[in-house]
Amino acid sequence: MSKTGYFTHRDCSKHEMGPGHPECPERLDAIADHLLVTGVADALAHYEAPEAALADIERAHDHGHVAALRGMSERLRQEQQAGGPDYARIDPDTALNAHTWQAALRAAGAALAATDAVIAGEIDNAFCAVRPPGHHACRDKAMGFCFFNNIAVAARHAMQRHQMQRVAVVDFDVHHGNGTEDILAGDPRALMVGIFQHPLYPYSGAQSPAPNMLNLPVPAYTRGMAIRELIERLWLPRLEAFQPEMIFVSAGFDGHREDDMGQLGLSEPDYAWITRHIKDIAHRHARGRIVSCLEGGYAMGPLARSVAAHLRVLADI
Ligand SMILES: [Zn+2]
C-alpha cells in the first residue's frame, strides 16, 4: 500500500463566483462526501493546507500579477463593507469574492506542502482537493476560473527549493493547460504532457509548442480507448525517456463523458488507467513521487467518482 496525502482546507470552499457558476464550492463537498461513504477517506493521510508564501508563488508568477490580485481583493473587501458589490470580475468566467485571495493562497499552499511532504518521504504521493483550480493561470494573469497556477508553483518549488533537474507535468483536464504551458515553456528542467479537447476554451495548444511541451489536441467525442492509445503511443515513451524525478498532475475530470463542460468520452476506468501508468513511471524513475492537484470537473457525481478512482490507484486500495 502507498501512503497518500490528502491536502485541503475549508477556506477553499469560501471562494465562489456567483449563483449558478460551475466552479462552485459544492465540488469539494461532493468529493469529500463520496470519499467518506466509500471508505477511501480512511486510507488517506489528511493534511490542512497552509497558506503559500508570496515568494513561492512568485517562482511561477510575476510580482505584478500577485500584487494586482491582492490589491483587487483588498479593494473588494473595503467596497463590500461600504455596501458595494460582492464580486470583482476579471473576465466573463472569472471573479473574486471576499475570500478568493485566501482560498488561492491555500490552494497553492496545498501543492507546496504536498511537494515538501512527498520529497521528505513522509508520504509516497498526494492529492490536493483544492479550488480555485490553477492550470489556466498564466505568469502574468488570472483567467478561466484560475488565479494562481498551483501545479506550476509546486513544480518550480521542486526545481528551485529541492534542486530537481527533471520534473514532469501531466495534464488530463478537458481544457488545454495554457497557463502551465506559459510558465514552463522553454524550461529545460520541465516536461509537460497534455491531452485536451480542441477546439475548446482556451483555444490554444494546437500549434507549435515549445520543445518541452507535448500537446495532444483531440476532437470532441474522442472516446476513452482512443485517448488511452494516444497516451500509450505518445505520452508514455516521452515521459519514460525524460526520467522525471517527480511527477505533477493537473487532474481535471471535466473530460468525463457525463460532464457537459466538454465532449470527451472518459470515464472512471480511464482515469484509473491513466493514473496507473503515471504511477508506474513514477516508480521506475521518481521513487514514486507524485503530487496531483484538482483542476476541472463540474458534474458532481462523475467528479467525485473519478477522484475516488484516481485516489484508489494512488493509494493502492
Ligand atoms: Zn477544464
Side-chain angles (χ1 to χ4, degrees), residues 135-136 173-175 252 254 261 295-298:
H135 77 152
H136 296 306
D173 190 276
V174 78
H175 303 99
D254 40 8
M261 196 63 86
E295 301 284 1
Y298 304 98

Side-chain angles (χ1 to χ4, degrees), residues 4-299:
T4 297
Y6 185 82
F7 290 73
T8 190
H9 195 280
R10 60 191 174 283
D11 286 352
C12 291
S13 296
K14 294 180 183 168
H15 157 66
E16 50 86 21
M17 297 184 279
H21 197 293
E23 206 291 277
C24 58
E26 290 75 15
R27 299 174 63 229
L28 294 184
D29 298 338
I31 293 168
D33 288 352
H34 186 75
L35 297 179
L36 269 178
V37 298
T38 53
V40 173
D42 296 336
L44 307 173
H46 293 262
Y47 290 85
E48 288 245 298
E51 288 177 22
L54 298 188
D56 289 333
I57 291 173
E58 289 179 10
R59 289 204 177 99
H61 291 286
D62 289 348
H63 173 73
H65 167 62
V66 179
L69 269 186
R70 188 182 203 173
M72 263 182 102
S73 182
E74 277 167 14
R75 267 196 311 282
L76 175 68
R77 279 197 295 266
Q78 285 164 7
E79 285 170 14
Q80 238 189 339
Q81 278 164 11
D86 290 336
Y87 305 100
R89 200 148 288 285
I90 286 181
D91 66 31
D93 303 322
T94 313
L96 289 91
N97 77 351
H99 304 285
T100 301
W101 173 255
Q102 203 62 23
L105 290 181
R106 296 283 183 187
L112 287 161
T115 301
D116 288 338
V118 167
I119 291 174
E122 195 179 314
I123 47 177
D124 296 307
N125 54 46
F127 179 73
C128 301
V130 292
R131 46 185 298 283
H135 77 152
H136 296 306
C138 297
R139 180 180 300 281
D140 63 357
K141 71 173 176 198
M143 64 180 272
F145 314 166
C146 301
F147 298 86
F148 296 141
N149 195 312
N150 307 317
I151 279 287
V153 166
R156 275 279 160 74
H157 177 74
M159 297 169 194
Q160 291 177 6
R161 186 71 181 267
H162 297 284
Q163 287 81 45
M164 291 213 170
Q165 298 303 308
R166 293 180 312 282
V167 165
V169 174
V170 174
D171 188 330
F172 56 76
D173 190 276
V174 78
H175 303 99
H176 172 227
N178 64 302
T180 317
E181 177 163 329
D182 177 55
I183 293 163
L184 296 180
D187 186 333
R189 299 165 300 179
L191 168 68
M192 179 178 179
V193 300
I195 193 157
F196 49 87
Q197 183 179 325
H198 185 80
L200 184 68
Y201 182 89
Y203 305 99
S204 52
Q207 278 161 348
S208 51
N212 66 326
M213 298 284 143
L214 175 58
N215 290 345
L216 300 179
V218 296
Y221 307 108
T222 304
R223 297 170 66 152
M225 276 303 159
I227 289 171
R228 290 193 200 192
E229 279 174 29
L230 281 169
I231 287 175
E232 199 149 32
R233 193 155 53 83
L234 298 165
W235 269 19
L236 299 181
R238 188 75 186 270
L239 285 167
E240 197 70 56
F242 184 67
Q243 302 185 347
E245 296 167 273
M246 184 153 182
I247 302 179
F248 291 89
V249 182
S250 266
F253 299 96
D254 40 8
H256 194 287
R257 62 187 176 200
E258 294 170 40
D259 193 311
D260 294 339
M261 196 63 86
Q263 289 79 37
L264 290 187
L266 293 169
S267 60
E268 293 82 334
D270 297 312
Y271 291 118
W273 183 94
I274 293 170
T275 310
R276 165 58 53 205
H277 282 80
I278 294 169
K279 199 172 171 187
D280 287 347
I281 288 171
H283 269 176
R284 277 198 290 281
H285 302 291
R287 299 187 207 168
R289 294 185 284 225
I290 299 170
V291 169
S292 174
C293 284
L294 180 65
E295 301 284 1
Y298 304 98

